[in-house]
Amino acid sequence: MRLAGREAGYGRGMEDRLAKRLRDVPPTIFTVMSSLAVRTGAVNLGQGFPDQEGPPSVIESAVTALRGGRNQYAPGPGVPELREAVARHQQKYYGIDLDPADQVVVTAGATEAIAAAVLGLVDPGDEVAVIEPYYDSYLATIAMAGGVRRAVRTRRTDDGFRLDLDSLRDGVTDRTKVLLVNTPHNPTGMVLDEAERAAVAEVAVRHDVVVVVDEVYEHLVYDGRQHVPLSTLPGMAERTVSISSAGKTFSFTGWKVGWVTGPAGLVANVMAAKQWLTFTNAAPLQPAVAHALEHEMGYVEGLAAQLQDKRDLLCAGLAELELDPVRPEGTYFVLSDVSRFGWADGMEFCQALPERAGVVAIPAQAFYDDVDTGRHLVRWAFCKETAVLEQALSQLRGADLER
Ligand code: PMP
Ligand code: GLN
């Protein structure tokens, strides 16, 4: 059972009037753990945001837009130069042809894109299959749409976390309206391999399912891997909605600029909901993100190379501490198993960690329907300056981590 209402940390008394569809949805774990970091002054390896700024030329471009009269509502689907830049990016990196007029919509981060896709495509009672563990906004969004969640499992293997293909075939049926996929995957760091991608396409085509793919970490993949969009597989272009974010690609998480791409019909379904959520957002930041896509992809390559080194540093440190990390193939995150120190419950471990070691991490059980499967797992973020990672590791080495 998940905690809901006040038990889970919502404000006093609010559960009395909370709409039923939100009663089983706990507050986001990121707010809970970042508040803990602020309260205790701990090093925050919890919430995934970089502590270095994105490219200066992108900030300059935003300042120019702010000073240059770009401060009123952007058009509902986004400013034309950003939609055009997104279309060029999809062509250049993935060979996908899009018409910026009706196949690209700019959103308030990937979060709004996910919400608009689910609200625009799912009726109450429809099944939505989702890869477990899943990013926490998926649970809330499916609940707000009245959808019925079906978890598709992942398994830890010698080759990191992998999609359980039997569970995929069980979880996606003729009753499934939407399959929500995230690759590169938060929190496991898994990047779907060729066989996994083919299996997703096979079930989606067989059951005529719309696939919503959260690709916010598309450029943050390691060891020479390439991100392959599911929309490029046979039979997938017409059924796939793809979601990206400037937050992760250019290290501007606070800007909340994301975008949706796909076939015009599905993008129109997303737009039908999106226009009633924010309508439009971040008018002066949108041209700056267009500038970033046109001129700063070199920054992203450099970022991925740095993150790979930071992944190695954090994984080596956690392994030396016997915290049993699983080496991620992409993203900002590494999962580790804390049960060896007697902690059967990662939540308890994470609550004790600020006092024991002055470090905050995220209990991965927040991302599981089947809380027991993820109970012993803890997520650590490595999108931090090297000195911060070293500081955290040094504090962990000096701490008593036994339960
Ligand atoms: N999806 C995943 C998998 C994420 O990790 C995040 C956090 N960046 C988001 C969506 C939300 O992205 P945004 O901040 O652009 O809303
Ligand atoms: N995506 C980030 C993470 O997984 C955090 C985003 C948020 O705080 N909602 O840590």
Side-chain angles (χ1 to χ4, degrees):
M1 251 314 267
R2 282 168 195 287
L3 298 181
R6 180 140 54 100
E7 264 179 297
Y10 278 124
R12 209 153 28 116
M14 64 84 75
E15 68 268 33
D16 300 344
R17 290 179 189 266
L18 184 63
K20 286 191 188 68
R21 64 183 178 280
L22 283 171
R23 288 201 185 156
D24 287 333
V25 180
T28 169
I29 192 71
F30 303 115
T31 302
V32 175
M33 298 316 286
S34 279
S35 318
L36 182 65
V38 169
R39 229 175 27 247
T40 58
V43 182
N44 191 355
L45 301 190
Q47 194 177 23
F49 59 89
D51 54 9
Q52 279 171 326
E53 294 275 72
S57 81
V58 181
I59 294 177
E60 283 314 310
S61 176
V63 170
T64 303
L66 279 162
R67 294 213 168 107
R70 310 280 311 253
N71 297 303
Q72 308 311 324
Y73 296 127
V79 300
E81 66 257 56
L82 178 51
R83 284 185 277 142
E84 283 158 17
V86 167
R88 277 194 289 275
H89 169 278
Q90 296 302 96
Q91 167 51 237
K92 178 172 165 199
Y93 283 87
Y94 310 127
I96 299 171
D97 281 320
L98 296 169
D99 183 343
D102 59 5
Q103 295 190 269
V104 182
V105 166
V106 180
T107 55
T111 306
E112 188 197 32
I114 295 157
V118 171
L119 290 167
L121 293 163
V122 173
D123 279 315
D126 284 347
E127 284 192 13
V128 181
V130 57
I131 297 176
E132 179 187 76
Y134 45 73
Y135 184 59
D136 69 347
S137 86
Y138 300 179
L139 173 131
T141 296
I142 295 167
M144 287 192 278
V148 176
R149 205 167 60 245
R150 287 290 302 268
V152 170
R153 313 240 178 264
T154 50
R155 272 179 301 111
R156 185 173 180 175
T157 70
D158 292 341
D159 195 20
F161 277 86
R162 304 272 37 116
L163 194 58
D164 180 332
L165 300 186
D166 291 331
S167 175
L168 174 73
R169 292 188 184 106
D170 284 351
V172 180
T173 68
D174 287 343
R175 289 189 305 280
T176 310
K177 192 74 165 284
V178 167
L179 167 59
L180 189 42
V181 176
N182 170 216
T183 181
H185 184 259
N186 175 7
T188 63
M190 163 179 78
V191 176
L192 292 190
D193 64 21
E194 199 177 339
E196 291 163 334
R197 293 192 300 268
V200 168
E202 183 211 310
V203 296
V205 170
R206 178 160 9 112
H207 298 291
D208 192 21
V209 165
V210 173
V211 183
V212 174
V213 194
D214 176 344
E215 309 187 324
V216 298
Y217 299 101
E218 62 195 300
H219 291 290
L220 306 183
V221 292
Y222 311 127
D223 311 313
R225 281 186 185 78
Q226 293 292 322
H227 168 71
V228 180
L230 281 164
S231 63
T232 60
L233 271 71
M236 291 298 283
E238 63 266 37
R239 64 180 65 257
T240 304
V241 172
S242 306
I243 294 172
S244 299
S245 172
K248 298 293 142 94
T249 297
F250 298 109
S251 305
F252 289 119
T253 61
W255 285 19
K256 296 296 283 190
V257 175
W259 50 91
V260 172
T261 58
L266 288 178
V267 169
N269 293 153
V270 178
M271 189 62 196
K274 184 259 178 314
Q275 67 182 329
W276 303 115
L277 294 173
T278 53
F279 173 50
T280 176
N281 70 298
L285 305 180
Q286 291 192 24
V289 174
H291 166 90
L293 285 168
E294 300 285 2
H295 302 288
E296 291 287 1
M297 291 311 290
Y299 165 85
V300 188
E301 267 175 49
L303 174 67
Q306 283 174 24
L307 283 170
Q308 180 173 315
D309 290 344
K310 291 175 180 189
R311 171 201 65 175
D312 293 344
L313 173 72
L314 184 60
C315 283
L318 293 174
E320 191 196 316
L321 283 158
E322 296 186 30
L323 281 166
D324 192 20
V326 184
R327 191 181 164 85
E329 299 171 331
T331 79
Y332 284 170
F333 309 112
V334 51
L335 278 185
S336 84
D337 179 347
V338 297
S339 60
R340 285 195 197 174
F341 285 97
W343 301 90
D345 190 339
M347 180 71 87
E348 249 186 66
F349 174 86
C350 289
Q351 278 162 351
L353 204 58
E355 199 180 312
R356 299 272 186 116
V359 175
V360 157
I362 300 280
Q365 61 192 253
F367 310 130
Y368 280 84
D369 268 5
D370 176 14
V371 171
D372 282 339
T373 307
R375 200 176 289 286
H376 58 295
L377 296 172
V378 167
R379 194 194 80 173
W380 312 78
F382 53 85
C383 49
K384 307 290 170 183
E385 301 224 44
T386 302
V388 171
L389 296 173
E390 279 165 351
Q391 179 67 35
L393 286 169
S394 141
Q395 289 173 204
L396 286 165
R397 279 193 287 269
D400 174 11
L401 295 178
E402 292 290 341
R403 180 145 188 277

